[in-house]
Amino acid sequence: MKIKIKISSLFYFLSFAFIPILLVFTFSYGFSLWSFYISLHDWKGLGGIPIFTGLKNYIEFFSNSIAIKTLANTFILAFSFIISTTFLGLVLAIFLDVGLKGTSVFKTIFLLPLSFSFVISATMWTWMFSPFQGTVNSILRMLGLESLTQPWITSTEQALLCVLIVYIWQFSGFVTLIYYAGISSIPKEQIDAATVDGATLLQKYLYIIIPQLKGETIGVMVILLFYALRVFDLVYLLTGGGPALSSEVLATYMYRVTFNQNLFGYGATVGFITFLIAIIIIIPFQIFFRRR
């Protein structure tokens, strides 16, 4: 009787465990494998028949000047975004931790952009970056600084910078929250002991607090990397990947070749390359920081 009860309990446990595991595997790895399978074919969409072409799409990607430029834009945006947002978030978290007057108001201000969707943010900043009636240039003209007005999102040299500014603005509050929580979790006894030893405020942060934020830094950088590689709606609505593809990134490039040109096999190639980039960067990054 006991054996039957144990077998029944094991059966129910495996039944309930199997479904979540299957769902996680399907959504985490199944679609990636399907994307890789499609990337090995020349497929014009749902109405066509996939024709196996091997690594032709991958060879075409790395020999296409537009694809290489898109890849370079993605790396530039990701690197600049991760470093700038991480540093700014840490500085803001320290500012909040110092406990100056009005920090409760600043907490709300810092976290407010996080509540906006990318669509709202892109629409709002499109108005602000408009070279003619935009808020930024209008303020400069009101201050008599006409010479400092810029073309912003209509410039091939500044479009990607505009995307970077909006992305930093959007996520700096999130990073601030993570770092502030990490700083708050550090035992106060360590800070008090450093104070007794005569450590200055700067020394406390440099030698006691910041070194203990390694876990938060790893988590923040991994999350920011994922968002940097999958950025689509913000770029698509803010610049459309232009002008002259100057702000085109892998996600917008994948969308354009897949749905505008019906190159579903090539689009899957771009998507799988993006996935590989994330894996290749994140795994060594985590191993390096875990060992230190």
Side-chain angles (χ1 to χ4, degrees), residues 70-71 74 226-236 247-259 267 270-271 274:
T70 300
L71 185 62
T74 303
F226 273 115
Y227 275 103
L229 292 178
R230 63 186 291 270
V231 55
F232 171 76
D233 34 10
L234 188 64
V235 176
Y236 187 77
S247 61
E248 185 91 308
V249 293
L250 287 174
T252 55
Y253 180 61
M254 178 181 65
Y255 174 84
R256 186 163 57 83
V257 298
T258 302
F259 297 104
V270 179
T274 305

Side-chain angles (χ1 to χ4, degrees), residues 30-99:
F31 290 144
S32 298
L33 294 175
W34 171 254
S35 178
F36 174 69
Y37 172 77
I38 294 299
S39 70
L40 301 177
H41 294 74
D42 181 12
W43 189 30
K44 301 300 182 182
L46 299 178
I49 299 176
I51 301 174
F52 181 78
T53 57
L55 299 176
K56 178 183 176 182
N57 288 327
Y58 291 89
I59 296 173
E60 182 179 348
F61 177 87
F62 288 105
S63 60
N64 189 322
S65 59
I66 295 178
I68 298 300
K69 179 177 177 58
T70 300
L71 185 62
N73 287 343
T74 303
F75 277 123
I76 292 172
L77 178 64
F79 179 80
S80 304
F81 167 63
I82 293 172
I83 298 300
S84 302
T85 308
T86 302
F87 177 75
L88 180 60
L90 178 59
V91 171
L92 294 177
I94 293 174
F95 173 78
L96 294 177
D97 183 64
V98 171

Side-chain angles (χ1 to χ4, degrees), residues 6-289:
K6 289 183 178 180
I7 293 176
S8 178
S9 300
L10 180 62
F11 173 77
Y12 283 115
F13 172 77
L14 292 177
S15 298
F16 283 105
F18 176 75
I19 295 177
I21 292 174
L22 179 62
L23 291 175
V24 170
F25 180 83
T26 300
F27 287 99
S28 299
Y29 303 104
F31 290 144
S32 298
L33 294 175
W34 171 254
S35 178
F36 174 69
Y37 172 77
I38 294 299
S39 70
L40 301 177
H41 294 74
D42 181 12
W43 189 30
K44 301 300 182 182
L46 299 178
I49 299 176
I51 301 174
F52 181 78
T53 57
L55 299 176
K56 178 183 176 182
N57 288 327
Y58 291 89
I59 296 173
E60 182 179 348
F61 177 87
F62 288 105
S63 60
N64 189 322
S65 59
I66 295 178
I68 298 300
K69 179 177 177 58
T70 300
L71 185 62
N73 287 343
T74 303
F75 277 123
I76 292 172
L77 178 64
F79 179 80
S80 304
F81 167 63
I82 293 172
I83 298 300
S84 302
T85 308
T86 302
F87 177 75
L88 180 60
L90 178 59
V91 171
L92 294 177
I94 293 174
F95 173 78
L96 294 177
D97 183 64
V98 171
L100 300 176
K101 291 184 178 180
T103 52
S104 58
V105 177
F106 283 108
K107 287 180 184 179
T108 304
I109 295 175
F110 295 158
L111 295 176
L112 185 61
L114 190 62
S115 64
F116 296 153
S117 68
F118 290 134
V119 175
I120 294 176
S121 297
T123 303
M124 180 177 66
W125 281 93
T126 299
W127 297 336
M128 296 180 67
F129 280 139
S130 175
F132 305 107
Q133 303 297 329
T135 306
V136 177
N137 282 351
S138 296
I139 292 175
L140 291 175
R141 294 189 186 99
M142 289 173 58
L143 296 175
L145 301 175
E146 180 79 26
S147 59
L148 296 181
T149 58
Q150 301 294 328
W152 301 116
I153 55 178
T154 61
S155 169
T156 56
E157 298 179 354
Q158 298 177 359
L160 192 62
L161 175 62
C162 292
V163 174
L164 175 63
I165 292 173
V166 179
Y167 231 34
I168 293 174
W169 171 83
Q170 183 97 41
F171 281 92
S172 58
F174 165 75
V175 178
T176 301
L177 180 64
I178 298 299
Y179 274 128
Y180 184 70
I183 293 174
S184 301
S185 66
I186 296 175
K188 189 179 179 182
E189 291 77 11
Q190 298 181 13
I191 311 299
D192 294 337
T195 303
V196 173
D197 291 338
T200 63
L201 183 64
L202 180 61
Q203 289 173 331
K204 293 176 187 176
Y205 280 103
L206 288 179
Y207 301 110
I208 299 176
I209 296 177
I210 294 179
Q212 297 188 61
L213 299 176
K214 182 175 66 174
E216 285 79 4
T217 301
I218 295 175
V220 161
M221 287 190 167
V222 169
I223 293 172
L224 293 182
L225 176 62
F226 273 115
Y227 275 103
L229 292 178
R230 63 186 291 270
V231 55
F232 171 76
D233 34 10
L234 188 64
V235 176
Y236 187 77
L237 294 172
L238 187 64
T239 65
L245 303 179
S246 60
S247 61
E248 185 91 308
V249 293
L250 287 174
T252 55
Y253 180 61
M254 178 181 65
Y255 174 84
R256 186 163 57 83
V257 298
T258 302
F259 297 104
N260 292 353
Q261 302 177 23
N262 288 328
L263 300 176
F264 283 75
Y266 185 72
T269 301
V270 179
F272 192 74
I273 288 175
T274 305
F275 171 76
L276 288 180
I277 291 173
I279 297 299
I280 291 172
I281 294 177
I282 289 174
I283 292 179
F285 177 82
Q286 288 187 316
I287 292 175
F288 174 76
F289 275 93

